[in-house]
């Protein structure tokens, strides 16, 4: 999904660092870049504009970046950046705070204020990896002076709204295929909602976000909860509502705009994953009833009926065609 912009492998080693410095100036913000081992430097950059937010996925060898007041006077886009570390160890200092960040963790920083950052690969890797979401704070319903409280603060990305944001950024960084302008705009809208909810939650300012934004993020949280619990045959709309402290009526209203009931969403997600498993040659020896049970179907007959109703063939017929095994 992200467009390839730079790959150091296409350049002679002696030109890579300078090319990277030039790229940072034009693609992100001017920085002083110091590289520990220029002769073995490697880096790549992929990016795409998604409406009000720019997503950039980077890999790079060990380096240090310094954004100085002089460079800010030279170019100040006024952007804030939500950064997710995908691999490696990152360190950033800004506003007399510093954060040490490892894989799966998030941090916020601002291009309009000086900062110092370092990155280094770990576990024998040659490069570290980060995905950035750059945005104008004016697009968010949150005051900038409140956002500044979070600069250079390590924020977890394993659960809650932070987990949703980290997962979404990770998917954007790795997704393949072609996306049109309308797709980009919709993805950008989702990303802005997630960033808003993440920052509001971190600041305990959830009441400052629009009702529509809170509802969209709540729906994303509920869908993620459903996917995590698909294997539980007792997963029901009532249980989902209770887990999120909302009424069953509120839960159904959240799903109504998507044109699907809660029960139908649960069933559809189970069938989608069961169909994927049936088409996987590596799972050809796994009994069909075991696949159904893995995704929360109470028994073989229930799984077979639901599968045939959705796809027009039985699970065994579908598997026979997909992995070419005799029924």
């Amino acid at each position: 999904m992200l467009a390839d912009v730079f790959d150091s492998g296409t350049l002679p080693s002696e030109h890579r660092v300078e090319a990277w410095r030039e790229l940072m100036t034009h693609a992100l913000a001017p920085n002083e870049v110091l590289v520990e081992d220029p002769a073995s430097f490697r880096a790549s950059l992929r990016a795409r504009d998604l409406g009000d937010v720019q997503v950039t996925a980077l890999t790079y060898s060990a380096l240090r970046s310094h954004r100085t007041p002089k460079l800010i006077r030279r170019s100040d886009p006024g952007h804030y950046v939500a950064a997710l570390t995908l691999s490696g160890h990152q360190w950033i200092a800004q506003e007399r705070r510093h954060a040490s960040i490892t894989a799966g963790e998030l941090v916020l920083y601002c291009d309009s204020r000086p900062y110092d950052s370092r990155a280094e690969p770990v576990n024998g890797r040659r490069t570290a990896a980060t995905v950035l979401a750059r945005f104008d704070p004016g697009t968010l319903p949150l005051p900038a002076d409140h956002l500044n409280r979070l600069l250079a603060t390590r924020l977890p990305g394993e659960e809650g709204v932070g987990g949703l944001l980290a997962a979404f950024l990770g998917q954007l960084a790795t997704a393949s295929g072609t996306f049109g302008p309308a797709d980009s705009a919709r993805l950008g809208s989702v990303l802005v909602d997630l960033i808003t909810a993440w920052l509001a939650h971190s600041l305990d300012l959830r009441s400052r976000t629009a009702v529509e934004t809170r509802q969209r993020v709540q729906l994303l949280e509920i869908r993620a909860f459903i996917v995590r619990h698909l294997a539980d045959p007792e997963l029901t709309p009532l249980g989902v509502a209770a887990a999120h402290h909302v009424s069953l009526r509120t839960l159904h209203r959240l799903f109504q705009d998507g044109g699907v009931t809660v029960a139908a969403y649960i069933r559809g997600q189970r069938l989608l994953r069961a169909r994927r498993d049936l088409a996987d040659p590596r799972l050809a020896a796994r009994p069909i009833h075991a696949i159904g049970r893995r995704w929360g179907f109470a028994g073989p007959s229930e799984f077979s009926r639901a599968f045939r109703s959705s796809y027009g063939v039985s699970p065994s017929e579908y598997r026979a065609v997909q992995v070419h095994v005799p029924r």
Side-chain angles (χ1 to χ4, degrees), residues 139-219:
T139 63
L140 306 186
L142 300 172
D145 61 329
H146 284 63
L147 297 184
N148 294 337
R149 301 177 193 169
L150 296 177
L151 296 177
T153 300
R154 181 179 61 83
L155 299 167
E158 293 83 17
E159 58 185 11
V161 180
L164 288 175
L165 175 59
F168 193 73
L169 286 172
Q171 290 169 359
L172 291 175
T174 58
S176 58
T178 302
F179 293 79
D183 300 316
S184 296
R186 283 191 287 268
L187 290 170
S189 178
V190 171
L191 183 52
V192 168
D193 284 343
L194 285 173
I195 292 172
T196 300
W198 169 62
L199 294 171
H201 178 80
S202 301
L203 292 163
D204 197 22
L205 290 174
R206 281 163 285 182
S207 62
R208 297 292 297 268
T209 60
V211 173
E212 294 81 3
T213 293
R214 294 200 301 273
Q215 289 177 341
R216 287 193 293 264
V217 172
Q218 186 177 36
L219 181 57

Side-chain angles (χ1 to χ4, degrees), residues 9 13 52 63 83 91 111 174 179 190 203 231 246 274 276 308:
S13 59
D52 290 327
L63 55 75
W91 182 90
D111 281 338
T174 58
F179 293 79
V190 171
L203 292 163
V246 298
R276 181 191 61 196
R308 184 182 289 276

Side-chain angles (χ1 to χ4, degrees), residues 263-280:
Y265 182 80
I266 294 172
R267 184 173 61 253
Q269 292 298 307
R270 283 173 168 158
L271 286 169
L272 183 67
R273 285 157 176 76
R275 184 178 67 171
R276 181 191 61 196
D277 284 0
L278 290 169
D280 189 342

Side-chain angles (χ1 to χ4, degrees), residues 243-295:
H244 291 84
H245 309 289
V246 298
S247 68
L248 190 58
R249 181 179 180 182
T250 297
L251 180 68
H252 286 307
R253 187 168 63 246
L254 286 170
F255 276 79
Q256 187 175 14
D257 290 342
V260 63
T261 66
V262 185
Y265 182 80
I266 294 172
R267 184 173 61 253
Q269 292 298 307
R270 283 173 168 158
L271 286 169
L272 183 67
R273 285 157 176 76
R275 184 178 67 171
R276 181 191 61 196
D277 284 0
L278 290 169
D280 189 342
R282 296 169 298 180
L283 302 178
R286 180 172 295 180
I288 287 175
H289 68 83
I291 289 177
R293 186 171 62 249
R294 177 189 183 191
W295 295 112

Side-chain angles (χ1 to χ4, degrees), residues 297-321:
F297 290 98
S301 58
E302 178 192 345
F303 177 40
S304 183
R305 284 195 304 271
F307 197 93
R308 184 182 289 276
S309 175
S310 291
Y311 302 119
V313 295
S314 70
S316 59
E317 290 169 336
Y318 180 81
R319 170 183 266 181
V321 171

